[in-house]
Amino acid sequence: MAQAGSTEPGLRRRVLITLCLTEITSWGILYYAFPVLSVSISADTGWSLPMITAAFSLSQLAAALTGIPIGRVIDRVGPRSVMTAGSVLAVPALVAVALAPNPAVFFAGWVAAGVAMGAVLYPPAFAALTRWFGTDHVKALMILTLSGGFASTVFAPLTAALVQHTDWRATYLTLTVVLAVVTIPAHLFGLSGPWPNPPIAASPADDDHSAVSRSRAFLMLVLASSLGAFAAFAAIFNLVPLLIERGFSPSLAALTLGLGGAGQVLGRIGYLPLMTRTTARGRIVGTFALTAVATALTGWATAVFALIAISIGAGVVRGIMTLVKATAVTDRWGATHYGRLNGLLSAPVVIVMALAPWAGTVLMTWTGSYARAYFVLAAIAALAALAATASMPRSSKLRVP
């Protein structure tokens, strides 16, 4: 291992470029392709949409459970072996999904894909950049998530175009080839290099990761992040059905989803200046409050241009939310045990995100329409903002601007 803070600038640039490329590809194919293809999968197979969505939700549960040990491994040895293995596993997992002759194989393929997601999506990438970039990690995280914001912008319309010319199975097989060609060699060669030692904790309390994980501030951070993520991602995954319910064509609905991804880019561009003008508590409370407003407006609006504009605005808020979550641990307890603590924070968040797509369809059935379901999701986001007010430890007041 290298000493903390000794990472060469050339290595850091290579790592950042690699992760920008692989996060766009991994998120776009493993995650954002599904909401575009779900209706086609149901129509072709005869499997119900709630059942299909439950399979994807199960993949998110697998990702959450995988993320906890992965955070510990990355803290010790770095991300190269973990993220390469995740990319390799994703290939047979998606092939199983694409060729599934029955629901059992479909579910099994998504479970394996979920394990792969736990190894290649944002949490391990955040841990890698936080350690390699040291005090410059916020800028690196902003650049990474800025790039990652294009995942839905690129892959939602691409997926829609592919399925219009072939079918959902051929579309997934094509995307799997892209995933393998891009991410496996990138993780294997782009993430090579010495793994720095962890930084020294700012205080004895911050060095005790077990005590931090049991503290009231950490538990409230988990609660707020989980409620906020549930509301935001249930809204994302049910946006295309909502828009179709409102009279959008499938292609226009997919484009609107993609424009939300462009909004995420705008939110991430503005994060650094926002960080200099706000506190960590203000950022997290404000983000979840705005999520509540945007979600309620989505359920209320009916005009095409209004819904597109709201989708972009909601994307801006999600872009900020991603960086608020990525920096939540370092804002409060430093980077000494970032991989471990972020894994513990991410696990319940990913679990509720796993439930979010399925729960959104259940809410639609319960309330009678997707529009009414969005009002329920807005109330959940408001509860997240309330919980976030208690997510700061007292000692953090000395460190957070």
Side-chain angles (χ1 to χ4, degrees):
M1 285 190 181
Q3 295 300 311
S6 66
T7 306
E8 293 295 331
L11 171 58
R12 290 190 295 179
R13 282 194 297 271
R14 170 163 54 82
V15 166
L16 182 55
I17 291 170
T18 296
L19 290 175
C20 286
L21 175 64
T22 61
E23 291 302 306
I24 291 173
T25 308
S26 298
W27 274 102
I29 294 173
L30 290 169
Y31 199 88
Y32 285 110
F34 178 80
V36 177
L37 295 175
S38 58
V39 174
S40 297
I41 296 171
S42 180
D44 178 62
T45 61
W47 305 335
S48 71
L49 189 58
M51 188 202 75
I52 291 168
T53 306
F56 186 83
S57 294
L58 191 61
S59 76
Q60 300 306 289
L61 176 60
L65 297 177
T66 303
I68 296 174
I70 279 178
R72 296 171 183 165
V73 172
I74 290 177
D75 271 348
R76 292 197 305 268
V77 303
R80 183 191 184 203
S81 59
V82 169
M83 298 189 79
T84 302
S87 294
V88 171
L89 175 61
V91 173
L94 286 182
V95 169
V97 168
L99 301 181
N102 54 57
V105 176
F106 189 77
F107 270 72
W110 275 118
V111 170
V115 174
M117 285 188 239
V120 301
L121 295 185
Y122 275 151
F126 289 165
L129 293 183
T130 298
R131 179 74 66 85
W132 260 316
F133 276 77
T135 56
D136 293 329
H137 71 280
V138 175
K139 182 182 291 186
L141 293 174
M142 185 201 73
I143 294 171
L144 176 67
T145 56
L146 187 63
S147 300
F150 287 105
S152 62
T153 306
V154 172
F155 282 96
L158 175 61
T159 301
L162 286 171
V163 76
Q164 285 179 351
H165 290 89
T166 56
D167 60 19
W168 72 271
R169 296 182 187 273
T171 297
Y172 258 131
L173 289 174
T174 302
L175 293 175
T176 300
V177 172
V178 174
L179 184 76
V181 169
V182 172
T183 66
I184 293 175
H187 285 146
L188 181 61
F189 299 109
L191 300 181
S192 60
W195 184 235
N197 289 332
I200 298 172
S203 71
D206 293 344
D207 198 30
D208 187 350
H209 56 79
S210 296
V212 168
S213 65
R214 295 192 301 268
S215 68
R216 178 175 179 269
F218 189 84
L219 295 177
M220 293 305 290
L221 177 63
V222 169
L223 177 62
S225 299
S226 299
L227 291 173
F230 177 86
F233 282 86
I236 290 173
F237 267 86
N238 291 280
L239 181 61
V240 170
L242 169 72
L243 296 176
I244 292 174
E245 181 181 80
R246 290 287 169 81
F248 281 50
S249 68
S251 58
L252 180 57
L255 176 61
T256 302
L257 177 64
L259 289 174
Q264 292 184 56
V265 173
L266 295 176
R268 290 161 190 173
I269 289 174
Y271 185 77
L272 280 178
L274 177 68
M275 192 176 73
T276 63
R277 293 173 173 83
T278 59
T279 63
R281 178 186 281 112
R283 288 191 293 277
I284 192 170
V285 173
T287 297
F288 292 140
L290 289 172
T291 298
V293 172
T295 306
L297 287 174
T298 303
W300 172 77
T302 57
V304 170
F305 287 110
L307 284 165
I308 291 174
I310 293 165
S311 177
I312 295 171
V316 171
V317 177
R318 289 197 307 274
I320 296 171
M321 184 190 300
T322 301
L323 283 166
V324 166
K325 179 179 175 296
T327 57
V329 170
T330 50
D331 278 346
R332 291 160 175 80
W333 301 285
T336 305
H337 301 290
Y338 181 88
R340 183 186 298 266
L341 291 175
N342 197 55
L344 290 171
L345 172 62
S346 297
V349 172
V350 176
I351 288 172
V352 299
M353 286 168 58
L355 298 175
W358 171 79
T361 60
V362 172
L363 281 175
M364 182 275 295
T365 302
W366 177 55
T367 60
S369 73
Y370 281 103
R372 294 190 189 98
Y374 270 67
F375 292 124
V376 177
L377 295 175
I380 293 172
L383 290 176
L386 182 62
T389 61
S391 67
M392 296 298 297
R394 292 180 182 178
S395 61
S396 67
K397 294 178 181 178
L398 300 176
R399 291 196 302 270
V400 180

